[in-house]
Amino acid sequence: MSEPFPVRAGVRQGCILSPFMFLVVIDAVMRNVNRERRRAIRWGLVDRLEDLDFADDLCLLSEAHSEMQEKLGDLTEGAGKVALAIKAKKTKALRVNTNKTEPFMLGDESVDVESFV
């Protein structure tokens, strides 16, 4: 056990403000990531779906490998600006209906998987 230390920033564990503040911040980050270009999947005749968000999980969606790689890079950069980090070990990229084999990279690590739960 370490010696006690004072917490000078943030909120207490279990505080209702913590998830609310995270959602506000991640929503702003995702708006900035998606503001420049629409890199999404077609959703109906005219609508596009950019991402799915739940709690602290994000699912980025794109129809093209290059657009997804750009979006992942923009998310990493945007998150860094608000002191959030994306961990490559916790990031997974899954392809559906494609023959592309070029890996998705987060920094210098591939985040491709064959399946996930």
Side-chain angles (χ1 to χ4, degrees), residues 20 29 42 48 65 74 114:
F20 178 73
V29 168
R42 186 178 311 247
R48 313 250 327 147
H65 179 277
D74 290 348
E114 294 296 320

Side-chain angles (χ1 to χ4, degrees), residues 10-25:
V11 294
R12 290 182 178 261
Q13 181 80 21
C15 177
I16 190 66
L17 283 178
S18 182
F20 178 73
M21 289 171 52
F22 175 79
L23 291 174
V24 169
V25 170

Side-chain angles (χ1 to χ4, degrees), residues 8-111:
R8 295 189 175 96
V11 294
R12 290 182 178 261
Q13 181 80 21
C15 177
I16 190 66
L17 283 178
S18 182
F20 178 73
M21 289 171 52
F22 175 79
L23 291 174
V24 169
V25 170
I26 202 65
D27 185 58
V29 168
M30 288 308 299
R31 286 179 191 267
N32 285 331
V33 166
N34 295 327
R35 180 172 291 155
E36 294 296 317
R37 285 191 21 200
R38 303 292 288 177
R39 301 169 290 201
I41 62 171
R42 186 178 311 247
W43 191 257
L45 293 175
V46 293
D47 295 324
R48 313 250 327 147
L49 187 58
E50 292 278 355
D51 57 84
L52 302 172
D53 309 340
F54 180 76
D56 63 345
D57 294 323
L58 299 174
C59 177
L60 304 180
L61 304 168
S62 182
E63 292 179 348
H65 179 277
S66 61
E67 290 177 352
M68 180 60 80
Q69 186 63 60
E70 287 176 15
K71 190 184 283 193
L72 185 57
D74 290 348
L75 176 59
T76 302
E77 181 181 333
K81 290 179 181 178
V82 293
L84 295 175
I86 301 171
K87 304 289 185 197
K89 290 182 179 181
K90 293 185 174 185
T91 303
K92 313 238 182 313
L94 183 66
R95 302 168 206 282
V96 178
N97 296 334
T98 184
N99 294 328
K100 282 272 190 184
T101 58
E102 185 180 348
F104 288 109
M105 303 299 289
L106 184 58
D108 59 352
E109 291 187 55
S110 170
V111 293

